[in-house]
Amino acid sequence: MTRSRAKAPTDRTRLRRLHDKAAYDRDTIHAILDAMPLAHVGYVMDGAPVVIPTLQWREGDRIYWHGSAASRSMKAGKGCPVCVTVTLSDAMVLARSAFEHSVNSRSVMVFGQAEWVTDPVAKAAHLQAMVERLFPGRWPQLRPMTETEVKATGLLSLPLTEASAKISAAAPGETDAEADKGWPVWAGLLPIAFQMGVPIPAPDLPPGTALPAHAARYRFGEKPE
């Protein structure tokens, strides 16, 4: 089944195989980016590819990620081509042949020139947006950021003008060839779910400090209803 009739925004975002897994519409791309804050950013540093894990967040049709202003990766991304990948794993697919084993997943790839945010007021506002996207209502409760902290934080952004999604969602037994369906081995899906553990408080919390709702209810990786 074709997931999106929209055309790929550029040639490098177009899926060249398994076209039915491709999605180029903004709603699908936004949903995946919003569901998984952990991203991997590919840079070229000293002539070699380097992939760094980081947190990403979306504001409209643009994603942001941050790090130390002094880090090699942040400096390497400033004004340079990068590739940002976000992936959610939904199930391991066990088939009756090794060839047809796979993973049900949702992923987004974003290409472009990373843009460096320099204005301290804008930078602070974007960092606030990151915290509020992850933990709504937490920012006003925090000790305000200092000018030194804002200056020490590097912030890169990327427009979603070159982005595509790939969605694998095979049903149990769907990947098996007809000739394999009588083979006597278990086949099906092993679902993968992200589960938050019991919150662990800091040992020096003042007595009576309650667990906030944004922490108690935090979830990520969930499929939209």
Side-chain angles (χ1 to χ4, degrees):
M1 180 178 66
T2 301
R3 299 187 176 277
S4 174
R5 294 185 179 275
K7 293 178 63 176
T10 65
D11 188 59
R12 63 179 171 178
T13 60
R14 179 173 57 86
L15 266 68
R16 287 165 170 75
R17 296 184 61 254
L18 305 175
H19 304 291
D20 62 314
K21 298 180 185 295
Y24 306 110
D25 63 283
R26 282 289 173 263
D27 288 345
T28 299
I29 290 169
H30 289 178
I32 294 171
L33 292 172
D34 294 346
M36 172 51 74
L38 180 62
H40 290 81
V41 185
Y43 306 91
V44 176
M45 299 190 337
D46 299 324
V50 178
V51 178
I52 305 290
T54 188
L55 288 178
Q56 64 81 24
W57 68 98
R58 182 181 64 84
E59 297 180 42
D61 272 344
R62 183 175 288 268
I63 57 171
Y64 295 81
W65 65 100
H66 75 294
S68 169
S71 73
R72 292 174 61 230
S73 61
M74 296 298 287
K75 290 179 178 178
K78 183 164 49 176
C80 296
V82 298
C83 177
V84 179
T85 303
V86 172
T87 304
L88 288 151
S89 300
D90 294 321
M92 301 300 293
V93 181
L94 276 63
R96 294 172 176 89
S97 68
F99 182 77
E100 298 294 351
H101 279 61
S102 63
V103 179
N104 278 354
S105 63
R106 294 163 282 154
S107 64
V108 166
M109 293 185 72
V110 188
F111 299 91
Q113 299 278 127
E115 300 175 19
W116 188 258
V117 180
T118 57
D119 179 72
V121 175
K123 191 190 299 185
H126 291 306
L127 295 174
Q128 177 178 347
M130 174 192 69
V131 173
E132 285 298 299
R133 176 166 283 280
L134 291 171
F135 308 109
R138 186 168 182 80
W139 186 264
Q141 302 174 3
L142 300 176
R143 187 264 293 162
M145 289 188 73
T146 66
E147 291 183 10
T148 300
E149 290 172 335
V150 174
K151 184 177 180 180
T153 304
L155 185 63
L156 290 171
S157 76
L158 197 61
L160 296 176
T161 50
E162 281 194 273
S164 62
K166 181 178 179 181
I167 301 175
S168 298
E174 182 181 348
T175 64
D176 286 305
E178 284 298 323
D180 293 337
K181 293 197 172 177
W183 194 265
V185 66
W186 191 91
L189 303 181
L190 302 180
I192 299 170
F194 293 96
Q195 182 175 349
M196 307 302 297
V198 177
I200 303 173
D204 54 356
L205 281 180
T209 302
L211 178 70
H214 59 249
R217 299 172 184 170
Y218 180 71
R219 299 289 185 274
F220 71 93
E222 296 181 346
K223 290 184 177 180
E225 296 296 334

